[in-house]
Amino acid sequence: MNKDLRSFIGEARQLGSAYYAGVSKPLDPIFEPSVIQQKLAVEGRYPIIRCDHINGSDLPLVTNLFGSYELLGLALGVDPGKPKSEILQRFIEREQNPLPTETIQLDKAPVKQKVITGDDVDLNQLPIVHHAERDSGKYITVGVLIIRDPDSGVLNAGMYRHEVQGKDLLGCMFNPTHHAGYIYRRCKELNKKMEAVLFIGHHPAALIGTLCEGPIDLSELEVMGGLLGEPLQVVDGETVNIPVPAFAEIAIEGYLDPANETNDGPFAEFTGYYGPSKDPVGLMKVTAITMREDAIYHDLDPAHQEHNLAGALTLESTVYASVRHLVPSVTGVYLPVSGCCRFTVYVAIKKRVPGEGKSAGMAALTANPGIKIAIVVDKDIDIYDEQRVLWAIATNFEADRDLTIIPNAMGSHLNPAAYGEVRTKSGPMNTKVIIDATRPVTLPFEDPIKPPQEVWDRITLEDYLE
């Protein structure tokens, strides 16, 4: 079976309204799909949303594929109702076992059912959304860009923002520290155009694979296969020497000429604030669009929690590995939505010796420069329940003993509170914090109250409640 976007939507739909919602009324691509998603979030609902009719396009739109942690688990084959901790462990297991891609024939690739080239190329035929009031335009927000390292030949895949700047022009914003940024700058040094494929719509496990944080010589296309549990099938491009995922919904081919750049922004970022704008970004000249006959356009609201959850497992895996290297008794890592799924991390450990809580916090902070706050708790605290984490801080933590502050550390320039070497100006630095909310291991401490295990296991609410 070839896993793809529509197979996942069908799986979610069978699970009911908590996982799937349909919108049959026509929607304006300016704001309306995002507002529907945001209104559902206010009610605490995060289903996949399919919008059948978007004004100005013949294609339906689907969004919120990463709307909840449960959807991430479903993407990795973890049954709903299983403990959330199993989701990260499943991700780690599959990420560590990448699979080589498999090339198939053109006539067997759904993404080649419709081929558009030359003057017929028109990005305005796609239901691309204008997400927020101050956004500079319409953005493809969950497209995956595939490029090739000019030195090693290794394929790189990553998810970036792409602003529509003409019928065949797309802005491409790379974070300077991302691998695509390094490859783009290398092409600039070589005075060489950079071929690219931007694909839209695939199984979410494959999309999560494009966000992995491995070395630059690791192809994310192989990680995508590992997370899918089957090789990613690809097909040759029409106008570029870059493979295209055969079971994607849409593929946009073209090239970026580093000598011809543009700028973009403002843009509603994952932080809930508008990010930096008018910085130079790459410009992609589109040479072909291929798609399924009944293609589904995949969108992501960048200011919604799904933007943050999309990359949560990748970062959690990185933090888990970093902490485990220093504190082998780590039992869990979680990046909560309240911390934008990257600025705050909760770490649970089975504490054995004094100081392990603080060591776990230091290891968590060094796992990724964007992490700003590390909160460490004992393994009996459910790190997916923020009320329990806050309870651990309130009852175990004393600031004069258990708080560590690290100023002037490399951080995230997108964090609105970040600063530069001149403290009054914005920049790429944060002040990091470790909160050690673990209980002492060599000193007396009150026992937490727990229900009797035998009674807890024996009683099923459905047998007692009417």
Side-chain angles (χ1 to χ4, degrees):
M1 173 186 173
N2 297 105
K3 295 179 181 177
D4 57 12
L5 174 61
R6 52 195 62 204
S7 67
F8 183 74
I9 294 173
E11 187 178 358
R13 189 169 190 169
Q14 292 180 357
L15 294 173
S17 60
Y19 287 84
Y20 178 88
V23 178
S24 57
K25 185 176 180 179
L27 297 178
D28 192 315
I30 300 176
F31 308 143
E32 290 189 354
S34 296
V35 169
I36 287 175
Q37 192 171 348
Q38 292 157 10
K39 278 184 167 288
L40 283 167
V42 169
E43 297 179 3
R45 300 171 61 193
Y46 301 95
I48 294 172
I49 306 166
R50 178 186 167 113
C51 307
D52 288 333
H53 305 288
I54 304 295
N55 295 340
S57 177
D58 295 330
L59 306 185
L61 176 150
V62 66
T63 187
N64 217 29
L65 255 71
F66 307 109
S68 68
Y69 210 76
E70 289 77 9
L71 279 170
L72 298 185
L74 188 65
L76 296 173
V78 178
D79 293 334
K82 292 286 187 179
K84 288 183 177 179
S85 57
E86 289 193 19
I87 298 173
L88 176 58
Q89 294 306 318
R90 176 71 59 84
F91 174 86
I92 292 172
E93 174 188 330
R94 289 192 176 183
E95 185 191 36
Q96 292 175 347
N97 292 279
L99 298 173
T101 59
E102 180 181 301
T103 302
I104 65 172
Q105 296 176 356
L106 290 174
D107 60 355
K108 295 182 179 180
V111 76
K112 295 291 187 175
Q113 290 170 351
K114 187 174 181 181
V115 178
I116 304 168
T117 58
D119 292 338
D120 294 330
V121 168
D122 188 356
L123 294 165
N124 296 307
Q125 295 176 359
L126 305 178
I128 303 172
V129 176
H130 190 127
H131 298 90
E133 285 185 294
R134 287 181 52 200
D135 278 1
S136 55
K138 293 183 177 181
Y139 282 84
I140 298 172
T141 50
V142 69
V144 175
L145 195 74
I146 304 175
I147 56 178
R148 190 185 301 275
D149 188 315
D151 295 323
S152 67
V154 173
L155 292 165
N156 178 272
M159 199 179 293
Y160 315 102
R161 74 189 197 206
H162 302 270
E163 183 185 24
V164 177
Q165 301 201 351
K167 66 186 289 288
D168 59 355
L169 295 173
L170 281 172
C172 301
M173 196 287 282
F174 310 120
N175 186 310
T177 62
H178 288 166
H179 291 161
Y182 285 98
I183 294 171
Y184 179 74
R185 289 191 296 272
R186 179 58 177 153
C187 288
K188 196 170 188 177
E189 292 172 354
L190 297 172
N191 194 27
K192 178 179 180 180
K193 293 179 180 178
M194 184 173 75
E195 291 188 325
V197 169
L198 178 67
F199 76 86
I200 302 169
H202 209 302
H203 194 282
L207 300 181
I208 293 169
T210 70
L211 301 170
C212 78
E213 298 192 345
I216 196 169
D217 58 355
L218 172 68
S219 174
E220 285 82 3
L221 274 66
E222 297 184 358
V223 178
M224 291 163 68
L227 293 184
L228 282 169
E230 61 186 35
L232 178 73
Q233 294 192 329
V234 298
V235 66
D236 293 339
E238 294 289 321
T239 60
V240 296
N241 185 28
I242 299 287
V244 178
F247 283 80
E249 297 291 321
I250 302 165
I252 300 171
E253 301 180 11
Y255 63 86
L256 287 81
D257 183 352
N260 184 23
E261 295 185 322
T262 184
N263 54 58
D264 74 349
F267 178 73
E269 277 289 357
F270 68 90
T271 59
Y273 296 88
Y274 288 91
S277 63
K278 304 308 177 186
D279 291 335
V281 299
L283 181 65
M284 180 176 176
K285 171 71 173 179
V286 179
T287 54
I289 299 176
T290 70
M291 64 177 76
R292 297 177 184 237
E293 289 286 357
D294 57 346
I296 302 170
Y297 180 81
H298 181 196
D299 184 52
L300 177 148
D301 181 0
H304 189 269
Q305 78 169 35
E306 69 159 329
H307 188 174
N308 301 327
L309 280 168
L313 288 173
T314 297
L315 187 49
E316 285 174 1
S317 173
T318 302
V319 175
Y320 188 91
S322 178
V323 175
R324 192 171 185 273
H325 181 73
L326 197 60
V327 183
S329 61
V330 60
T331 60
V333 166
Y334 179 52
L335 290 143
V337 172
S338 59
C340 299
C341 293
R342 63 192 72 193
F343 296 147
T344 302
V345 62
Y346 302 154
V347 179
I349 64 171
K350 182 179 180 181
K351 191 173 179 181
R352 304 158 305 173
V353 295
E356 272 194 320
K358 194 158 292 187
S359 292
M362 289 189 290
L365 290 180
T366 58
N368 184 280
I371 298 173
K372 182 177 175 181
I373 303 170
I375 299 175
V376 187
V377 297
D378 293 295
K379 74 179 186 70
D380 62 320
I381 300 297
D382 182 359
I383 55 177
Y384 302 98
D385 183 345
E386 290 197 312
Q387 182 173 325
R388 298 298 293 174
V389 174
L390 292 174
W391 174 79
I393 295 173
T395 58
N396 298 350
F397 167 81
E398 289 296 338
D400 64 329
R401 179 190 63 195
D402 302 317
L403 178 69
T404 303
I405 298 175
I406 307 167
N408 303 315
M410 184 172 67
S412 170
H413 74 288
L414 290 177
N415 190 314
Y419 54 87
E421 290 183 317
V422 177
R423 189 62 185 258
T424 56
K425 295 183 179 180
S426 62
M429 293 196 292
N430 295 134
T431 296
K432 308 299 180 79
V433 175
I434 299 172
I435 296 175
D436 181 1
T438 58
R439 296 184 291 272
V441 291
T442 61
L443 300 173
F445 202 82
E446 300 293 338
D447 291 329
I449 301 169
K450 300 178 183 178
Q453 192 64 47
E454 185 274 329
V455 181
W456 179 271
D457 294 339
R458 175 165 45 83
I459 289 182
T460 302
L461 289 179
E462 288 77 8
D463 296 337
Y464 288 81
L465 301 180
E466 297 180 357

